[in-house]
Amino acid sequence: MLKYIDIYSEKRTHFIDITDEIKEILDESNIKEGICYVYVPHTTAGIFINENADPDVKWDIENTLEKLIPWENNYQHAEGNAAAHIKSVIVGSSVSIPVSKGKLLLGTWQGIFFAEFDGPRTRKVIVKIIEG
Ligand code: ZN
């Protein structure tokens, strides 16, 4: 069971909550027990799980990454988007969520975010649900 989610980021750094889309894919799969694997096949984007209740958390993460990894910093990479590659490495390219009784076992405050670091762009997220 493999599905793609199309993402349209609107700015250079853009965190997009994709929890509901992933829940819909899980519902359609009819898989009740297993693992939901969410993967970003891009080198300047990432995927992470964190709080989606208070939007300030998302802003704090974005702002802190910006400070740690500034866009201009005498990087070698000629394309000019080295900061986006570095943020992608730090955030990571995938998350796995246990599935039980047809539900994602996310904590109360957890959501799944696509993280754009070199937008705006059209992106894909791959969702693979493995029964077991
Ligand atoms: Zn590049």
Side-chain angles (χ1 to χ4, degrees):
M1 159 78 213
L2 183 115
K3 288 263 183 180
Y4 288 86
I5 301 173
D6 293 315
I7 307 269
Y8 305 95
S9 63
E10 290 162 5
K11 44 192 177 165
R12 182 187 281 167
T13 303
H14 192 184
F15 296 166
I16 300 169
D17 187 341
I18 55 171
T19 313
D20 288 344
E21 284 92 334
I22 293 165
K23 283 180 178 170
E24 276 172 31
I25 291 169
L26 177 60
D27 287 347
E28 286 165 17
S29 78
N30 274 320
I31 292 172
K32 301 298 176 199
E33 302 292 326
I35 295 280
C36 178
Y37 178 68
V38 185
Y39 178 75
V40 179
H42 301 291
T43 60
T44 54
I47 194 108
F48 67 87
I49 294 175
N50 214 282
E51 175 162 345
N52 66 354
D54 177 1
D56 284 347
V57 173
K58 191 171 85 166
W59 190 89
D60 286 339
I61 295 167
E62 177 178 334
N63 192 43
T64 302
L65 284 171
E66 250 1 277
K67 281 185 183 149
L68 291 171
I69 308 146
W71 191 256
E72 302 286 346
N73 195 23
N74 293 317
Y75 302 111
Q76 301 285 307
H77 181 43
E79 195 190 3
N81 62 355
H85 289 285
I86 296 164
K87 287 175 186 172
S88 170
V89 167
I90 287 173
V91 166
S93 299
S94 67
V95 294
S96 302
I97 307 110
V99 172
S100 187
K101 298 182 175 124
K103 302 280 178 209
L104 297 170
L105 294 187
L106 289 168
T108 308
W109 309 110
Q110 285 182 317
I112 306 157
F113 291 89
F114 168 85
E116 175 64 76
F117 295 120
D118 191 21
R121 288 183 192 237
T122 302
R123 302 289 205 173
K124 296 233 178 270
V125 170
I126 297 170
V127 181
K128 174 91 181 165
I129 303 172
I130 304 152
E131 197 164 18

